[in-house]
Amino acid sequence: MTMQAASTEIASRTAAIIDEMKGLEGPLLPILHSIQEEFGHVPKDALPVIADGLNLSRAEVHGVVSFYHDFRAHPAGRHVLKLCQAEACQSMGSDAVAAKVKQLLGIDFHETTRDGSVTLEPVYCLGLCACSPSAMLDGEVIGRLDDEKIEEIVAEVRS
Ligand code: FES
């Protein structure tokens, strides 16, 4: 697909989502979630369509997308690894876990490895505080992260 065709396709699918949801109260977040579900991220080309559809400025839409950690500006890798950075996990060493994972993968939060295998994201409480520090790999929670588990996770996402 050419870039032009891809952006027309994004615009028309985005417009359909907006039509379906703009009657909701506070439609922006549900619309962004649907768009992310549809495309795996919130494409840049969707932003002006959302702004026009909801009568907002592009800056407002962009501000909301960048404020919420849930929204991705780029397609995710084949795996998505989320590391909990909230208080209970912090007190159990999540900073050291994050540092180790970042070093092993060679990426920072909100980045994807160059081979497209994994996207690393922070998350703020997975409801697994009793087993902190915690993570989520492709939707499955993992508790009590230690060096061994971190290495296993990294090996899994890289395989
Ligand atoms: S603070 Fe990490 S799971 Fe609750």
Side-chain angles (χ1 to χ4, degrees):
M1 204 186 295
T2 64
M3 267 172 74
Q4 180 64 44
S7 82
T8 312
E9 167 84 11
I10 288 169
S12 71
R13 283 157 71 191
T14 300
I17 290 171
I18 294 170
D19 270 352
E20 213 174 285
M21 305 183 86
K22 72 173 171 217
L24 298 176
E25 201 169 316
L28 180 55
L29 288 178
I31 285 173
L32 289 171
H33 277 292
S34 289
I35 289 171
Q36 174 145 301
E37 224 163 84
E38 173 105 12
F39 300 106
H41 68 296
V42 179
K44 197 165 63 36
D45 289 334
L47 301 185
V49 184
I50 301 169
D52 289 351
L54 298 184
N55 240 335
L56 298 168
S57 72
R58 289 179 193 198
E60 282 170 301
V61 178
H62 179 77
V64 170
V65 172
S66 38
F67 178 79
Y68 288 95
H69 296 281
D70 275 354
F71 299 123
R72 273 184 219 110
H74 302 286
R78 288 190 297 286
H79 298 283
V80 177
L81 177 58
K82 300 184 183 209
L83 300 178
C84 181
Q85 299 294 291
E87 216 170 305
C89 286
Q90 286 276 347
S91 72
M92 292 300 283
S94 61
D95 280 348
V97 170
K100 183 166 173 111
V101 172
K102 288 176 187 178
Q103 187 219 336
L104 288 172
L105 292 175
I107 52 172
D108 207 338
F109 280 135
H110 306 292
E111 291 182 354
T112 301
T113 50
R114 211 176 275 197
D115 63 359
S117 63
V118 56
T119 298
L120 186 61
E121 291 177 346
V123 67
Y124 296 88
C125 197
L126 292 162
L128 205 66
C129 311
C131 304
S132 50
S134 318
M136 183 182 261
L137 176 61
D138 300 330
E140 296 219 0
V141 285
I142 307 165
R144 300 206 170 87
L145 291 172
D146 54 18
D147 280 355
E148 205 180 314
K149 278 198 189 163
I150 293 169
E151 274 156 30
E152 263 171 38
I153 292 170
V154 169
E156 185 178 332
V157 297
R158 279 260 134 119
S159 63

